[in-house]
Amino acid sequence: MLAAKDRLIVALDVDTAQEAEMLVAQLQDHVGVFKVGMQLFNSEGPEVLKRLHSLGARIFLDLKLHDIPNTVGQASAVLTGHGVYMFNVHTAGGKEMMEAAVRASVETASSLNLPRPLVIGVTVLTSINEEILRNEMGIDRTVEEQVVKWAKLAKESGLNGVVASPREIRVIRETCGNDFVIVTPGVRPAWSAKNDQKRVMTPKEAVEAGASYLVVGRPITAANDPVEAAKRIVAEMEEGLKC
């Protein structure tokens, strides 16, 4: 079983490689994975991945690929070639698209003799609540029903797991099994503000519910002491793992 530290993903939601490198240097011994999202990747490009890898960072590349199957397959091959630990696609892109991502990732990792990255599907964003899902997106299901539908589709498509809010962890675990990876944003310790996340839990609650990895950004990166904040979150996760 992964240790609590290795389950913690820190979101590097910054503009520059220098800022990201500073955070990695500070936190490398206290967390397992660093998330590079659209903000940093679009600012610095693929070079930032090389720079963070040179520091020993494991990277979750959070670009949420969503396009026709051929395009997503080609992009997945490129991302796999960057040597990332994990990357994601949108489950809303459908089964053929997700299968293309998995196939390209497996083939590229094999041809380059690289570890195969985890390919994860994004379900319903944690900023989306039931009102938005129904009234703005036109989906006449509850959030939980839609998350489960997309999680099952992701598993059928060969994905390693999904990104889902803490509130859907238990039902995904029941539906998709113990080996299915659940990456959980929307995690906020009791001492931190919720910001724009709507469906949230504490780190202890999320781990107890069955999350594989927790994504935490501002409660760590915006803290006066990021290392101490990471340690506090890991301690909360350890409590959850003991339950």
Side-chain angles (χ1 to χ4, degrees):
M1 185 173 69
L2 284 176
K5 175 183 82 71
D6 296 322
R7 296 169 177 263
L8 179 57
I9 301 174
V10 171
L12 299 175
D13 295 331
V14 295
D15 289 330
T16 68
Q18 290 84 357
E19 292 173 282
E21 286 172 321
M22 286 178 61
L23 286 167
V24 169
Q26 278 183 291
L27 295 166
Q28 175 78 338
D29 294 335
H30 307 284
V31 306
V33 183
F34 293 91
K35 183 173 79 71
V36 173
M38 288 181 277
Q39 178 182 352
L40 179 57
F41 190 83
N42 288 334
S43 177
E44 293 284 3
E47 182 63 27
V48 73
L49 305 178
K50 296 179 183 178
R51 291 173 66 166
L52 298 183
H53 277 145
S54 72
L55 297 176
R58 290 195 299 176
I59 295 173
F60 168 24
L61 187 54
D62 177 23
L63 300 182
K64 301 180 178 70
L65 303 181
H66 189 177
D67 212 309
I68 64 172
N70 182 66
T71 298
V72 168
Q74 297 293 340
S76 297
V78 172
L79 301 190
T80 300
H82 287 314
V84 298
Y85 177 68
M86 180 190 304
F87 70 89
N88 58 11
V89 303
H90 265 293
T91 57
K95 188 175 183 181
E96 186 181 352
M97 187 206 78
M98 289 188 278
E99 289 175 337
V102 173
R103 184 167 56 250
S105 179
V106 170
E107 291 173 355
T108 302
S110 177
S111 67
L112 297 178
N113 197 28
L114 291 169
R116 178 191 165 190
L118 298 174
V119 184
I120 306 297
V122 177
T123 56
V124 179
L125 298 175
T126 55
S127 59
I128 303 295
N129 59 21
E130 209 130 291
E131 181 181 0
I132 295 171
L133 189 70
R134 290 177 181 274
N135 297 339
E136 297 180 20
M137 300 175 68
I139 296 175
D140 193 24
R141 295 189 183 93
T142 66
V143 168
E144 181 177 292
E145 288 169 345
Q146 189 63 39
V147 168
V148 169
K149 180 179 176 64
W150 277 338
K152 289 170 66 177
L153 188 64
K155 184 174 182 179
E156 292 169 7
S157 304
L159 266 62
N160 299 100
V162 292
V163 179
S165 99
R167 300 296 177 183
E168 290 83 51
I169 296 169
R170 291 189 190 276
V171 69
I172 293 173
R173 185 63 68 215
E174 291 168 1
T175 303
C176 297
N178 291 330
D179 294 333
F180 199 62
V181 173
I182 303 174
V183 178
T184 306
V187 174
R188 289 289 183 270
W191 41 268
S192 174
K194 288 184 180 180
N195 300 114
D196 56 355
Q197 306 279 11
K198 291 183 171 61
R199 305 193 322 277
V200 300
M201 274 188 183
T202 67
K204 179 177 181 289
E205 291 170 337
V207 170
E208 283 178 341
S212 308
Y213 295 89
L214 308 187
V215 180
V216 182
R218 286 165 283 191
I220 293 176
T221 59
N224 291 331
D225 186 341
V227 170
E228 182 59 29
K231 287 181 177 179
R232 289 177 68 182
I233 289 171
V234 169
E236 289 187 40
M237 293 168 68
E238 287 173 340
E239 288 182 32
L241 288 172
K242 292 173 185 175
C243 297

